[in-house]
């Protein structure tokens, strides 16, 4: 996949990654976490962020050993082609599963809150058309669009949190330790997968123009997303409390719904519909891109464009698989936000260990990229 | 059926990318290479020639393409055929000129035969109406026929004597080839042929009717210059030269249009404009291969990076001061013949929002009017689409009192909202288009009367709701606030897409369409410069994108232009 990889700066990358990570704000993630950890949900996401920072730090060693190489190329150098192909296809499948899950979650929320009479497949198809156009233009275009829309997203998030201020009650954060510290820490570690989007950087590393930028972009994105998610979760609990908070389908939508400034300015949630459409589309488009990129690397294809249609079709299939939103929340979302860390974080760690044991270093296979 | 099968096959099969290059890119440091090329020393050149010779002498059979290239080179080196050159016999030249200029069918070509002072037969050729008759009568014919001017003649080459001692014209040149002579005659130059001379004299005598310099009609300002470009190429070049009195301001004239033989000029500041950019502009203009090109609107379509995009990638201006400011930034301007506009390349989205007046106003006002323009863009693009979305899908957002007002206004309207909006939007566009086409002073009157009467009558007939009249009127105002006419036209088209997507899926549809538009905008490049620079991609910039800081704070040229000289002002530009 040589075409359309482009180049972008640390700032642009941070905007892109942060948009993808914080898109969970608009989904079922917050209320799910409140259900699992009670009032300590914000501590739990903080722990997830720390764990992700730790894993990213380890991944850095791997990327440093193989400078400027796509993560699949590293697997191929270290594990050999057959195992790398299996792993590549596994990551490809996961990216499609992730895209499909996010897409369905988005469509369900849309159906629940704004378009009750619109068929689900129509909402899904619309997003897929936009993501197909995105992927047609390539990752550079995707990142640049996310830079442009990052400002409205940031303003929207800040506005929702600020305008809902009259409903905040700090006492609702009690009991401070939620269901107990062990539960919080354990859930926090497991749910570090919620930040696993950071590993998208290992796929787009060639566009980042150097290891330093990769490192900077990674740490900044994780820190910023962690702060935003933690504050949002804290304010959400302060607004709804943990009992009511675990019942909401979309925490942020509910938060925007209770905004009441005057008789004239109320029910402004539809304005914020823009920001979650934008962040959700970027998330799905990025997942499709990662799937395409990995597939192209595995089968050494230069042109990703003919693959867009079949990959989008696969994403559509995954999106319509769950019978209902509860099944989606209990199976799909649990896999992507809770258990995917075993695949996403632990595989690079294992590869790093193997490369250290067998003393493999970058430059042997794709020396020109190093 | 077969074609359908081919299309499906094309859609479903994998193909390697046809072109992995992203086209021309204005990359940093590229101009250095051009500089090196220029400074290439003679030894290197000799070596290069040698290597070429060695290549030739290898004896390997040449490929067809190589052979064609060689043949082209040979043809280039060949001297023109004898009948393409001026003969020493005057009669032969006379016949050739008559034949070339299709005389006597061509009624406006004038050939005047006479005898020059030293009793040599001669004739002049010019196009009636293109040449200035005073120059021809008083400064060419009178001088040449006056024997007093030939008293010092001592068997010199007649053309040299006439050039040096007889004609008191500022611009004279000798030419041998008919191709050049004919082309110059058609441009208004007078050609002089003298018996026994194997060359002709091309005497500057252009003097056709042209419009005076007037106020720009589409970019008028309250403060600042009131001069606009005219249809005349020379006048336009002069207007810019009058502003930038710099020896490095380069004007290059390039021919465009195979049959119309028009000219266009490119102007840039040497040492400031990126040489790679200049090279690219010239190459794109030279590659235009069509019979007729007039004005920069046509040139624009031939040289744009992506001509099928709705958003323009070339900026048009009819203000010499604005064109000069672009040249000073490092951009290249292209002046065509026949229209009072010039093209500026490369250009970014934000430059299309800037108006000449911004720099003349103090910075707080300059910033404020720019913000108004951005509001104008927002309204022109989104207002009808948001109205449709609100009415059809998101009624809960509308405060109750307002909702009641909307519902009451729409109560008697029989059409669905989308039809109502489209009907009124199309009527508005119709009024606008008709207002432009209607001659003279009736135009604006028709626009106002048409809009008022039509709007009032439509509301009275319960065809549209009064709220919608306000929405469409404000949208129109917003569109007029966009300084770039081409961009405003693009926005008009995008608006219809947004209205339809709003009707289809409410805010969700609008957001999706905006996203697609953003995607296209991000993929556009104007002569290698990303269209949304310096915001996306983020590059170094002067404080002059949306908010405008005072002029003395704008010390650097835009980074995305990669100019060899980035500094505009000294470290201390203000005392």
């Amino acid at each position: 996949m040589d075409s359309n990889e482009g180049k972008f700066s640390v700032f642009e990358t941070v905007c892109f990654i942060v948009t993808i990570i914080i898109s969970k704000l608009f989904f079922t993630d917050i209320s799910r976490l409140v259900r699992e950890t009670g009032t300590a949900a914000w501590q739990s996401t903080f722990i997830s962020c720390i764990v992700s920072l730790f894993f990213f730090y380890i991944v850095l060693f791997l990327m440093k050993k193989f400078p400027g190489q796509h993560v699949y190329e590293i697997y191929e150098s270290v594990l050999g082609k057959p195992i790398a192909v299996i792993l590549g296809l596994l990551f490809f499948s996961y990216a499609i599963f992730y895209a499909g899950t996010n897409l369905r979650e988005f469509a369900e929320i849309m159906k629940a809150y704004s378009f009750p009479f619109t068929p689900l497949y129509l909402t899904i198809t619309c997003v897929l058309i936009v993501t197909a156009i995105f992927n047609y233009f390539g990752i550079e275009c995707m990142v640049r669009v996310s830079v442009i829309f990052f400002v409205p997203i940031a303003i929207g998030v800040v506005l929702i949190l600020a305008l809902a201020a009259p409903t905040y009650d700090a006492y609702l954060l009690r009991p401070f330790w939620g269901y107990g510290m062990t539960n919080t820490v354990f859930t926090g570690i497991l749910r570090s997968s919620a930040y696993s989007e950071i590993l998208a950087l290992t796929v787009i590393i060639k566009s980042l123009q150097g290891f330093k930028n990769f490192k900077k972009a990674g740490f900044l994105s994780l820190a910023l997303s962690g702060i935003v998610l933690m504050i949002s979760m804290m304010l959400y609990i302060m607004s709804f409390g943990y009992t009511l908070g675990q019942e909401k389908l979309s925490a942020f939508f509910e938060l925007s719904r209770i905004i009441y400034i005057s008789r004239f300015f109320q029910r402004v949630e539809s304005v914020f519909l823009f920001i979650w459409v934008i962040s959700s589309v970027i998330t799905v488009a990025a997942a499709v891109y990662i799937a395409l990129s990995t597939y192209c690397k595995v089968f050494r294809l230069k042109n990703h464009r003919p693959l867009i249609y079949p990959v989008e079709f696969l994403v559509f299939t995954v999106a319509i698989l769950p019978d209902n939103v509860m099944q989606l929340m209990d199976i799909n979302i649990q896999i992507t936000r809770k258990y995917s860390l075993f695949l996403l974080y632990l595989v690079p760690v294992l590869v790093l260990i193997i490369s250290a044991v067998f003393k493999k270093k970058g430059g042997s296979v794709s020396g020109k990229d190093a | 059926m077969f074609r359908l099968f081919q299309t499906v096959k094309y859609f479903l099969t994998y193909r390697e990318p046809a072109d992995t290059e992203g086209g021309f890119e204005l990359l940093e440091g590229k101009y250095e290479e051009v500089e090196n090329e220029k400074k290439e020393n003679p030894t290197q050149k000799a070596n290069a020639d040698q290597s070429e010779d060695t290549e030739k002498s290898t004896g390997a059979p040449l490929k067809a393409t190589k052979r064609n290239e060689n043949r082209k080179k040979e043809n280039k080196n060949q001297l023109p055929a004898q009948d393409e050159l001026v003969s020493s016999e005057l009669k032969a030249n006379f016949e050739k000129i008559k034949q070339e200029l299709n005389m006597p069918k061509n009624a406006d070509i004038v050939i005047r035969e006479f005898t020059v002072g030293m009793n040599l037969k001669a004739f002049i050729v010019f196009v009636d109406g293109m040449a200035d008759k005073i120059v021809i009568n008083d400064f060419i014919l009178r001088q040449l026929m006056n024997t007093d001017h030939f008293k010092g003649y001592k068997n010199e080459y007649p053309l040299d004597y006439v050039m040096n001692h007889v004609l008191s014209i500022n611009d004279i040149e000798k030419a041998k080839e008919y191709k050049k002579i004919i082309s110059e005659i058609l441009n208004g130059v007078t050609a002089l042929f003298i018996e026994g001379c194997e060359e002709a004299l091309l005497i500057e005598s252009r003097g056709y009717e042209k419009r005076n310099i007037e106020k720009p009609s589409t970019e008028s300002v309250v403060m600042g210059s009131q001069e606009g470009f005219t249809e005349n190429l020379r006048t336009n070049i002069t207007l810019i030269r009058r502003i930038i009195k710099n020896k490095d301001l380069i004007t290059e004239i390039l021919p465009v249009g195979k049959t119309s033989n028009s000219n266009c000029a490119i102007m840039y500041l040497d040492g400031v404009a990126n040489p790679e950019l200049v090279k690219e502009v010239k190459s794109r203009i030279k590659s235009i291969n069509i019979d007729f090109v007039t004005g920069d609107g046509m040139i624009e379509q031939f040289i744009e990076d992506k001509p099928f995009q709705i958003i323009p990638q070339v900026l048009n201006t009819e203000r010499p001061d604005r064109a000069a400011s672009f040249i000073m930034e490092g951009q290249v301007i292209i002046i065509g013949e026949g229209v009072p506009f010039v093209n500026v390349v490369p250009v970014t989205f934000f430059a299309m929002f800037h108006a000449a007046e911004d720099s003349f106003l103090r910075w707080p006002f300059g910033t404020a009017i720019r913000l108004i323009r951005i509001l104008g863009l927002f309204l022109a693009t989104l207002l009808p689409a948001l109205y449709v979305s609100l009415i059809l899908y998101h009624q809960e957002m509308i405060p109750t009192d307002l909702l009641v007002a909307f519902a009451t206004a729409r109560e008697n309207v029989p059409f669905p909202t989308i039809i109502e909006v489209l009907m009124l939007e199309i009527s508005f566009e119709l009024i606008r288009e008709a207002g432009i086409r209607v001659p003279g002073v009736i135009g604006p009157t028709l626009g106002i009367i048409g809009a008022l009467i039509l709007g009032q009558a439509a509301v009275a007939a319960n065809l549209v709701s009064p709220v919608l009249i306000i929405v469409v009127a404000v949208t129109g105002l917003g569109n007029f606030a966009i300084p770039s006419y081409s961009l405003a036209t693009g926005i008009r088209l995008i608006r219809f897409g947004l209205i339809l997507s709003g009707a289809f899926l409410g805010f969700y549809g609008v957001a999706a369409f905006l996203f697609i538009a953003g995607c296209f905008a991000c993929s556009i490049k104007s002569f290698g410069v990303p269209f949304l620079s310096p915001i996306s991609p983020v590059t170094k910039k002067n404080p002059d994108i949306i908010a405008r800081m005072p002029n003395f704070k704008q010390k650097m040229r835009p980074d995305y232009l990669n100019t060899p000289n980035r500094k505009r002002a000294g470290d201390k530009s203000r005392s």
Side-chain angles (χ1 to χ4, degrees):
Chain A
M1 191 167 174
D2 291 339
S3 59
N4 295 307
E5 288 207 44
K7 284 177 185 171
F8 24 86
S9 65
V10 173
F11 173 74
E12 289 165 325
T13 316
V14 170
C15 291
F16 178 58
I17 299 291
V18 171
T19 307
I20 299 173
I21 297 179
I22 67 162
S23 68
K24 290 175 201 73
L25 274 178
F26 313 119
F27 297 143
T28 56
D29 216 42
I30 295 185
S31 41
R32 186 82 196 189
L33 196 58
V34 173
R35 190 183 296 175
E36 286 176 13
T37 54
T39 49
W42 61 277
Q43 297 163 21
S44 180
T45 197
F46 177 71
I47 291 165
S48 302
C49 184
I50 298 291
V51 172
S52 296
L53 278 167
F54 169 73
F55 277 118
F56 182 70
Y57 186 70
I58 294 173
V59 170
L60 277 180
F61 285 106
L62 182 69
M63 302 315 280
K64 201 175 180 180
K65 274 187 126 182
F66 300 87
Q69 285 192 34
H70 188 285
V71 69
Y72 175 77
E73 289 169 353
I74 298 174
Y75 293 166
E76 206 176 82
S77 311
V78 178
L79 307 170
K81 207 174 174 189
I83 301 175
V85 167
I86 295 167
L87 273 178
L89 289 176
L90 204 62
F91 279 110
F92 166 74
S93 313
Y94 176 73
I96 286 176
F97 180 76
Y98 176 92
T101 303
N102 271 279
L103 184 54
R104 178 64 186 268
E105 197 178 6
F106 168 75
E108 288 287 354
I109 288 174
M110 281 298 214
K111 193 169 177 65
Y113 288 106
S114 287
F115 302 100
F117 306 113
T118 309
L120 211 57
Y121 69 85
L122 188 66
T123 321
I124 291 173
T125 310
C126 275
V127 175
L128 284 177
I129 290 170
V130 181
T131 53
I133 293 171
F134 245 141
N135 278 289
Y136 181 83
F137 286 114
I139 185 73
E140 192 179 55
C141 177
M142 208 182 292
V143 172
R144 285 185 183 164
V145 172
S146 48
V147 172
I148 296 167
F149 287 108
F150 184 74
V151 178
I153 291 174
I155 292 172
V157 169
V158 171
L159 270 180
I160 293 175
L161 296 177
L163 294 178
T167 64
Y168 297 154
D169 181 359
Y171 284 104
L172 291 175
L173 286 175
R174 293 182 311 167
F176 193 72
W177 300 113
Y179 299 140
M181 203 185 269
T182 321
N183 176 54
T184 308
V185 172
F186 185 70
T187 312
I189 292 170
L190 267 184
R191 290 188 71 93
S192 59
S193 320
Y195 291 85
S196 61
E197 288 87 348
I198 195 69
L199 294 179
L201 291 180
T202 59
V203 175
I204 58 172
I205 189 163
K206 282 183 184 169
S207 307
L208 279 168
Q209 304 167 67
F211 178 74
K212 267 189 182 175
N213 286 350
F214 172 79
K215 189 175 159 185
K216 220 194 235 178
F219 282 126
L220 278 173
S221 309
L222 274 177
L224 196 60
S225 321
I227 291 167
V228 174
L229 285 175
M230 193 176 76
I231 292 174
S232 310
M233 214 161 275
M234 194 189 265
L235 296 177
Y236 173 68
I237 298 168
M238 280 165 65
S239 185
F240 290 102
Y242 80 96
T243 44
L244 203 60
Q246 56 190 290
E247 289 170 7
K248 307 288 182 192
L249 191 61
S250 165
F252 238 62
F253 201 89
E254 292 292 343
L255 211 55
S256 66
R257 222 171 191 183
I258 57 168
I259 291 172
Y260 182 91
I261 301 164
S262 68
R263 203 159 68 92
F264 201 78
F265 291 104
Q266 52 173 317
R267 302 290 312 268
V268 286
E269 69 270 14
S270 298
V271 176
F272 300 115
L273 197 73
F274 279 108
I275 61 170
W276 48 79
V277 170
I278 289 164
S279 58
S280 309
V281 170
I282 292 177
T283 309
V284 177
V288 172
Y289 175 79
I290 288 165
L292 285 168
S293 172
T294 312
Y295 193 88
C296 287
K297 286 285 172 198
V298 171
F299 293 105
R300 305 203 191 290
L301 303 175
K302 281 186 178 173
N303 191 4
H304 73 286
R305 284 176 178 169
L307 301 173
I308 294 173
Y309 167 69
V311 167
E312 296 270 333
F313 186 75
L314 287 176
V315 173
F316 180 81
T317 315
V318 172
I320 56 167
L321 273 179
D323 289 338
N324 50 50
V325 70
M326 287 319 292
Q327 198 182 49
L328 179 85
M329 284 171 75
D330 290 338
I331 301 173
N332 292 39
I333 296 171
Q334 289 295 79
I335 292 171
T336 57
R337 312 254 165 91
K338 210 168 178 182
Y339 303 113
S340 64
L341 102 146
F342 297 109
L343 173 71
L344 299 172
Y345 285 141
L346 295 186
V347 170
V349 174
L350 277 175
V351 173
L352 177 68
I353 294 166
I354 293 167
S355 71
V357 171
F358 292 100
K359 290 180 182 165
K360 293 202 171 180
K361 267 196 163 186
S364 54
V365 170
S366 308
K368 63 181 189 298
D369 296 327
Chain B
M1 193 63 197
F2 179 71
R3 283 192 75 177
L4 182 73
F5 175 72
Q6 286 286 332
T7 315
V8 173
K9 193 181 156 198
Y10 182 81
F11 188 65
L12 294 175
T13 49
Y14 174 79
R15 295 167 307 280
E16 288 294 322
D19 177 22
T20 50
E21 297 294 320
F24 171 69
E25 292 218 26
L26 204 54
L27 298 173
E28 222 154 309
K30 273 227 164 178
Y31 55 84
E32 286 161 18
E33 288 169 24
V34 178
E35 287 294 299
N36 292 341
E37 265 176 41
K38 269 188 193 169
K39 286 171 191 166
E40 194 182 64
N41 61 42
T43 342
Q44 276 176 329
K45 214 169 186 181
N47 289 343
D49 289 346
Q50 252 179 22
S51 64
E52 211 171 85
D53 287 346
T54 330
E55 217 172 89
K56 273 181 194 169
S57 60
T58 50
L62 292 172
K63 285 180 181 172
T65 46
K66 187 83 182 168
R67 201 162 48 225
N68 287 340
E69 271 172 31
N70 288 346
R71 197 179 292 159
K72 266 185 201 168
K73 273 183 201 167
E74 279 165 22
N75 288 343
K76 263 187 190 174
N77 295 336
Q78 265 178 10
L79 291 170
Q82 203 55 43
D83 64 338
E84 289 167 15
L85 295 174
V86 176
S87 157
S88 57
E89 283 180 37
L90 192 69
K91 201 175 176 190
N93 291 332
F94 187 82
E95 289 305 321
K96 177 74 180 171
I97 284 287
K98 272 177 79 174
Q99 184 197 337
E100 287 285 328
L101 293 171
N102 293 318
M103 289 182 75
K105 261 197 282 182
N106 244 340
D108 59 347
I109 308 288
V110 179
I111 300 185
R112 165 80 164 87
E113 290 176 278
F114 60 98
T115 308
V116 288
M118 62 273 209
N119 271 334
L120 278 173
K121 284 195 170 172
F123 69 88
I124 57 168
V125 195
F126 60 91
V127 182
D128 194 17
M130 292 285 282
D132 185 348
K133 283 186 181 161
I134 297 173
V135 173
I136 293 171
N137 293 340
D138 293 352
F139 301 99
I140 300 177
L141 290 175
R142 182 173 292 177
Q143 309 258 4
L144 287 169
M145 292 163 89
N146 189 343
T147 48
D148 290 350
H149 291 131
F150 291 89
K151 279 178 183 166
Y153 178 70
K154 289 169 188 165
N155 284 333
E156 296 160 62
Y157 184 53
L159 275 189
D160 284 342
Y161 187 84
V162 166
M163 245 175 101
N164 298 331
H165 301 97
V166 182
L167 293 176
S168 50
I169 301 274
N170 62 354
D171 187 2
I172 301 181
E173 155 185 32
K174 285 193 277 190
K176 269 184 182 174
E177 287 175 39
Y178 273 116
K179 198 178 165 191
K180 189 184 177 190
I181 295 167
I182 301 290
S183 153
E184 292 291 324
I185 291 170
L186 293 172
N187 268 303
V189 169
T190 301
L192 167 69
F193 291 84
I194 301 179
E195 178 71 59
C197 297
E198 285 185 333
E199 285 166 311
L201 271 189
L202 298 175
I203 306 161
E204 177 57 52
S205 62
R206 273 175 266 238
Y208 32 78
E209 291 301 320
K210 58 188 181 198
R211 191 164 63 93
N212 287 332
I213 297 167
E214 285 169 17
K215 275 187 180 182
S217 56
T218 57
E219 287 177 278
S220 46
V221 292
V222 179
M223 293 172 81
S225 162
Q226 302 294 334
E227 279 181 347
F229 284 119
T230 70
E231 286 76 6
N232 187 263
L233 184 67
R234 299 271 164 188
T235 312
N236 292 346
I237 293 170
T238 314
L239 283 171
I240 291 170
R241 280 235 177 252
R242 260 171 43 189
I243 299 169
I244 307 173
K245 298 173 186 79
N246 189 313
K247 66 181 173 56
D248 292 329
L249 176 65
I250 309 292
T251 307
E252 293 188 38
I253 308 274
L254 303 169
V256 283
K258 279 192 302 186
T259 312
S260 63
N261 291 322
S262 317
N263 286 321
C264 82
I266 63 163
M267 290 184 90
Y268 58 91
L269 200 57
D270 201 20
V272 172
N274 188 318
E276 277 291 302
L277 171 69
V278 176
K279 211 167 111 185
E280 180 68 16
V281 173
K282 283 200 275 187
S283 119
R284 289 195 195 182
I285 292 175
K286 281 177 188 167
S287 68
I288 297 174
N289 184 7
I290 198 160
D291 60 341
F292 174 64
V293 174
T294 179
D296 49 61
M298 279 176 91
I299 296 173
E300 179 184 336
Q301 294 171 46
F302 284 98
I303 61 170
E304 269 182 332
D305 292 54
K306 289 192 175 173
F308 289 100
Q309 295 274 1
I310 291 175
I311 302 167
Q313 298 131 60
V314 171
L315 188 141
N316 314 104
T317 179
E318 63 168 327
R319 297 186 60 86
D321 56 345
R322 200 156 176 235
S325 78
F326 283 122
I327 293 176
M328 294 308 292
E329 296 254 288
Q331 276 138 304
V332 177
I333 64 161
I334 303 157
I335 312 173
E337 269 182 320
V339 283
F341 288 92
V342 303
N343 282 334
V344 181
V345 290
V347 71
T348 64
F349 176 73
F350 300 97
M352 293 197 178
F353 264 94
H354 298 179
E357 207 164 19
D358 297 356
S359 308
F360 303 135
L361 287 172
R362 294 185 67 247
W363 73 270
F365 313 129
T367 305
I369 55 169
R370 266 194 204 163
L371 291 176
I372 295 284
R373 270 183 233 137
I374 287 176
L375 178 71
L377 170 81
F378 177 79
L379 294 172
T381 321
L382 286 169
L383 192 62
L386 293 182
Y387 173 80
V388 172
S389 308
L390 275 176
I391 295 289
L392 293 179
Y393 293 92
H394 312 286
Q395 300 92 343
E396 77 279 359
M397 257 197 79
I398 309 170
T400 318
D401 300 341
L402 197 61
L403 190 64
V404 171
F406 277 16
T408 317
R410 288 212 71 249
E411 200 180 4
N412 294 323
V413 179
F415 301 113
T417 312
I418 178 68
I419 301 289
E420 192 189 1
V421 171
L422 285 177
M423 210 164 64
L424 209 62
E425 278 287 343
I426 290 168
S427 307
F428 185 79
E429 294 296 331
L430 204 65
I431 292 169
R432 184 139 96 170
E433 193 56 26
I436 296 168
R437 305 282 158 246
V438 168
V441 286
I442 314 165
T445 323
L446 177 96
I448 297 162
I449 301 288
L452 280 175
I453 294 178
L454 213 71
Q456 188 61 38
V459 171
N462 287 329
L463 290 177
V464 290
S465 76
V467 182
L468 189 59
I469 298 273
I470 299 169
V471 169
V472 173
V474 174
T475 307
L477 282 179
N479 204 277
F480 285 124
I482 300 169
S484 164
Y485 184 75
S486 313
L487 182 67
T489 317
I491 295 292
R492 276 156 68 183
L493 291 178
I494 290 172
R495 185 166 69 228
F496 282 98
L498 281 164
I499 291 171
L500 292 175
S501 49
F504 185 53
L505 274 174
F507 283 175
Y508 171 42
V510 173
F513 192 90
L514 273 182
F515 227 68
I516 295 172
C519 217
F520 277 94
C522 280
S523 70
I524 297 175
K525 278 183 181 160
S526 169
F527 281 79
V529 172
F531 189 61
L532 293 176
S533 306
I535 300 294
S536 181
V538 182
T539 54
K540 285 178 207 159
K541 49 196 169 279
N542 265 328
D544 185 28
I545 304 301
I546 293 173
R548 202 189 70 79
M549 286 293 112
N551 290 332
F552 57 83
K553 288 273 182 192
Q554 296 169 26
K555 293 183 175 175
M556 305 299 274
R557 294 196 169 88
D559 190 39
Y560 53 79
L561 290 172
N562 286 323
T563 63
N565 181 1
R566 279 211 63 216
K567 247 184 159 183
R568 289 180 66 197
D571 294 330
K572 208 179 168 193
S573 55
R574 187 174 182 268
S575 59

